[in-house]
């Protein structure tokens, strides 16, 4: 970006972006024109909101009003929060710089960012005390924390004029982009979340394989743990055809890359996690070198389809005949192969 033409506070915002997001900073900064600043601020505002949600030291009676009213802070030049211990507390401590740049955005971008922030804050409060039980509630939670991001981004793409109106209007499709990324993160982060006493795996699924979610961390339950893992991965793979359809409608290269790269990194992560007991003893991450190769190869729909097909075939090859969901996983993978 042209740091020269930026206000000092906007420059600061890009520093916060690079400090708080390994996976999104690069692709956000590669966006063009006004959209780049709008998405950068959108990220920082929602990361600040999420840092309140994630901070387990804030008592629920304090956290609920904080989340519900968070969007109002966008219009309060002095609001910040200095009590957080979270890794991303920098965005709460320096919120005045972020809200200042929010107020400098065009009205069309401010409306989307404020609306999504209010809906996400409300949605987060629903799940502060209620755990994710049914698969519908899993979709509902992921809608609030990630589906809404996809919906907001699609609206920003159309508002910028760089994409057609249909992109921002088809909220069901945009929602699924976020669900795919969030469900992949939840599946990958089982142990990290369990150690933080956070439960995002839906009870409807894990209760088929164990009486307590913590059982999966015990080596003697490894087979049941992996069967539950494969069950959730199968549910998540069902979202891939919608992601391919969304990407097929994009006409701006920088927006295509911005949407495609996180989706392709997620399918690579799912493939790495499939039938992999290491998910229950550590965090399964894609190596930097492989990540760079994947990003370089995600610049056209045909290349992205080829990469998705590659990882889908890798999963098919590793489906254990004894896995309770084997035939369902094969069917879901077959559907992905049909659209790639
Ligand atoms: O605390 C952490 O480090 C992880 O927190 C997770 C959690 O607490 O569950 C969780 O926090 C969710 C609430 C805050 C969402 C913040 C966000 C993330 C990415 C963005 C990308 C571009 C623009 C705005 C964005 C906003 C988290 O970060 N999960 C990662 C997956 C969420 C992806 C959101 C998303 C959805 C659709 C997308 C479509 C295209 C490109 C990027 C997309 C990004
Ligand atoms: Mg978080
Ligand atoms: Mg969170």
């Amino acid at each position: 970006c042209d740091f020269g033409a930026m206000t000092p506070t906007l420059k600061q915002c890009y520093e916060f972006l690079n400090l708080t997001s390994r996976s999104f900073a690069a692709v956000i900064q590669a966006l063009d024109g006004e959209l780049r600043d709008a998405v950068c601020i959108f990220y920082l505002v929602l990361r600040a909101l999420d840092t309140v949600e994630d901070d387990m030291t804030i008592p629920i009676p304090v956290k609920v009003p904080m989340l519900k009213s968070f969007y109002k802070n966008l219009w309060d030049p002095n609001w910040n929060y200095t009590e957080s211990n979270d890794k991303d507390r920098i965005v709460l401590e320096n919120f005045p710089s972020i809200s200042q740049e929010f107020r400098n955005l065009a009205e069309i971008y401010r409306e989307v960012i404020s609306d999504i922030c209010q809906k996400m804050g409300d949605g987060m409060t629903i799940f502060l005390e209620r755990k994710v039980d049914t698969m519908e509630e899993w979709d509902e939670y992921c809608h609030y924390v990630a589906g809404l991001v996809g919906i907001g981004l699609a609206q920003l793409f159309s508002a910028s004029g760089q994409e057609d109106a249909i992109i921002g209007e088809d909220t069901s499709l945009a929602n699924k982009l976020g669900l795919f990324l969030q469900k992949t993160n939840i599946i990958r982060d089982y142990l990290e979340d369990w150690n933080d006493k956070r439960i995002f795996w839906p009870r409807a699924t894990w209760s088929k394989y164990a009486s307590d979610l913590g059982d999966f961390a015990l080596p003697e339950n490894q087979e049941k743990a992996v069967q539950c893992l494969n069950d959730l991965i199968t549910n998540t793979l069902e979202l891939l055809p919608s992601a391919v359809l969304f990407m097929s409608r994009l006409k701006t290269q920088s927006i295509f890359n911005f949407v495609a790269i996180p989706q392709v990194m997620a399918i690579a992560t799912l493939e790495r996690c499939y039938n992999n007991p290491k998910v229950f003893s550590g965090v399964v991450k894609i190596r930097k070198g492989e990540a760079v190769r994947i990003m370089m190869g995600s610049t056209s729909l045909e290349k992205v389809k080829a990469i998705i097909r590659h990882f889908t075939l890798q999963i098919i090859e590793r489906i254990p005949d004894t896995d309770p969901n084997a035939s369902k996983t094969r069917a879901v993978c077959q559907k992905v192969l049909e659209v790639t």
Side-chain angles (χ1 to χ4, degrees), residues 24 43 47 50 54 87 145-146 149-150 153 178 181-182 185 258:
F24 298 105
Y43 173 85
R47 183 54 70 211
D50 178 56
D54 290 353
K87 62 180 168 46
V145 300
V149 180
L153 286 168
L181 301 181
Q182 184 64 16
N185 274 25
F258 171 67

Side-chain angles (χ1 to χ4, degrees), residues 1 13-14 16-18 20-44 47 149 153 157 254-255 257-259 261-262:
C1 340
C13 287
Y14 279 99
F16 299 149
L17 172 66
N18 286 293
T20 60
S21 164
R22 291 177 316 282
S23 28
F24 298 105
V27 285
I28 288 174
Q29 288 171 119
L31 289 167
D32 294 316
E34 292 178 339
L35 187 59
R36 183 176 53 235
D37 294 347
V39 173
C40 173
I41 299 305
F42 189 39
Y43 173 85
L44 293 173
R47 183 54 70 211
V149 180
L153 286 168
F157 299 160
S254 59
I255 292 176
N257 298 346
F258 171 67
V259 172
I261 288 168

